[in-house]
Amino acid sequence: MERPTVLTALCLLASIPSASAWVNLSPSEHETMLRVLEAHGILMGIAFALLYPLGAITLRLLRVRGVLWIHAGIQMLAYAMSLVAFGMGCWLCWLFHDWRDPHYVIGIIVVGLITLQPVTGWIHHALYVKYRQRTKWAVGHVWLGRLVLVTGAINGGLAFRTDHNAIAGEVAYSVVAGVMFLIYFVVILSAHLRSRGQKEAKQGDTVQVGPGEKTPEELHSGAFQAKAFDGAMESPTGSRDGMIRSDGSSV
């Protein structure tokens, strides 16, 4: 009489529509499934609720040499954990014979998009080193990362929607993810406001002259030609380096 109860709990835990996939499993195999499922959830939770936001935050807050590599190291650690957990998830889906659950589908899409991040990040860095200004690859890298980060965190919450016995895990995940994302959004907002203030201050310091006019200093020092050349090298926003720090990250 105890076997159907165990099967029902396992199906509920894994969001499986039926228990047919578990009928031929031994008690030791049931225990293995539970441990793999738990490891999958822990690894994905640490990656998306803690490490990915932390890596993005360090790039904005730290003002130390090599911050770019600190950022990349944290993100690659989270990426490695995601891949291991993804393999576990695919194995469980194969055992369950069910790939239609929204948690599974979104998870596959998210991990696929995450795989693009190291590539876009490296291209962005290489182009910055070459041209010393922000490119479209940088914008794509930043916004793809934000999309994946938010979607992955939400998908982690979906895993708890039918598991009524994992209250402690759900609370822990929600608290950690909530705190990290709050810090993340505050840092992003403050960086945006700081960047806009620097642009306005720089524009306010610019001397306005009429078309074809030169200041007395420019006429005597030849600085007018230098300014014209520099102006041609500026980014569309009017900032010579596109508001990018020396490590290649955007402000």
Side-chain angles (χ1 to χ4, degrees), residues 189-241:
L189 179 60
S190 62
H192 173 73
L193 295 177
R194 183 174 64 251
S195 175
R196 187 172 65 178
Q198 290 175 348
K199 292 177 183 178
E200 293 176 351
K202 193 168 185 177
Q203 292 174 355
D205 293 338
T206 302
V207 177
Q208 300 294 329
V209 295
E213 296 180 355
K214 305 178 182 64
T215 64
E217 293 78 9
E218 291 171 338
L219 288 170
H220 291 289
S221 66
F224 180 77
Q225 289 81 4
K227 179 181 286 188
F229 175 78
D230 289 344
M233 299 298 294
E234 289 183 357
S235 66
T237 61
S239 171
R240 192 165 301 173
D241 60 359

Side-chain angles (χ1 to χ4, degrees), residues 146-182:
R146 292 172 180 174
L147 173 64
V148 169
L149 186 62
V150 174
T151 306
I154 294 175
N155 194 45
L158 291 178
F160 295 102
R161 71 191 189 282
T162 56
D163 182 10
H164 305 291
N165 298 318
I167 302 300
E170 183 176 3
V171 171
Y173 179 84
S174 301
V175 170
V176 174
V179 171
M180 292 302 297
F181 273 84
L182 177 61

Side-chain angles (χ1 to χ4, degrees), residues 90-130:
C90 289
W91 182 61
L92 291 170
C93 286
W94 176 74
L95 290 177
F96 300 158
H97 303 291
D98 179 28
W99 297 84
R100 299 167 297 175
D101 188 274
H103 177 69
Y104 308 153
V105 176
I106 296 174
I108 293 172
I109 295 174
V110 167
V111 173
L113 292 176
I114 289 176
T115 305
L116 300 176
Q117 280 300 85
V119 178
T120 59
W122 179 258
I123 294 175
H124 150 57
H125 177 68
L127 291 177
Y128 173 80
V129 171
K130 182 177 181 179

